[in-house]
Amino acid sequence: MVFGHAPDVDGVELAFTSLLVQATTAMAAAGSQVDRFGRSRTRSFRSSFLVAYAYRIGHRVWECTEAAEAAGAEEHGAGLLPVLAALDQVVEDAVNAAFPEMGGYSISVTNRAGWVADTAAAQLALLSPCDELRPKATA
């Protein structure tokens, strides 16, 4: 379930679909996984891969949000921050009203190879359609 203002929800739906396709492509490229005894480890690999992928993408989005807020405050002054905070509070209130007893959760990772394999995939993932249009850094 996604909460937010209409343009934000549209952006989240687009980003989710794009990232799901990118993650699936990266997992398919990794192929089937087996341990040293020949037993399948594909399910735990993929589960750990997706947990790590989501974690790293979430961190990248957080970094982008922080940078955008700082740039907005620099360009438009500190008056912008209370407006953003008020918008965030409206969304937070809607979540709390819909799920008043929501608590925390934990996720476990059981396959180290799956956790490690996502590093490149999550770093290379396009977070925005505009990412494709930006020139790539050259070494």
Side-chain angles (χ1 to χ4, degrees), residues 76-91:
H76 301 288
L80 179 63
L81 296 178
V83 173
L84 293 175
L87 292 172
D88 283 349
Q89 189 60 53
V90 169
V91 173

Side-chain angles (χ1 to χ4, degrees), residues 9-102:
V9 171
D10 291 344
V12 167
E13 289 174 349
L14 178 63
F16 176 82
T17 302
S18 173
L19 289 167
L20 181 61
V21 169
Q22 293 176 69
T24 301
T25 301
M27 280 192 309
S32 298
Q33 303 291 312
V34 294
D35 66 12
R36 61 188 172 130
F37 302 110
R39 297 177 297 210
S40 176
R41 301 290 294 157
T42 303
R43 182 176 177 177
S44 66
F45 174 87
R46 290 182 176 175
S47 176
S48 297
F49 180 97
L50 287 174
V51 168
Y53 191 85
Y55 175 81
R56 287 191 172 91
I57 292 296
H59 187 73
R60 285 183 60 198
V61 169
W62 178 81
E63 287 175 335
C64 290
T65 301
E66 291 291 309
E69 286 178 0
E74 185 176 316
E75 183 175 337
H76 301 288
L80 179 63
L81 296 178
V83 173
L84 293 175
L87 292 172
D88 283 349
Q89 189 60 53
V90 169
V91 173
E92 187 70 29
D93 291 346
V95 171
N96 291 333
F99 301 105
E101 303 201 18
M102 182 170 61

Side-chain angles (χ1 to χ4, degrees), residues 102-135:
M102 182 170 61
Y105 60 90
S106 64
I107 298 174
S108 62
V109 173
T110 59
N111 187 302
R112 184 179 189 287
W115 179 268
V116 172
D118 95 287
T119 302
Q123 278 308 116
L124 295 174
L126 301 176
L127 297 181
S128 163
C130 297
D131 286 348
E132 293 180 342
L133 303 176
R134 291 190 189 115

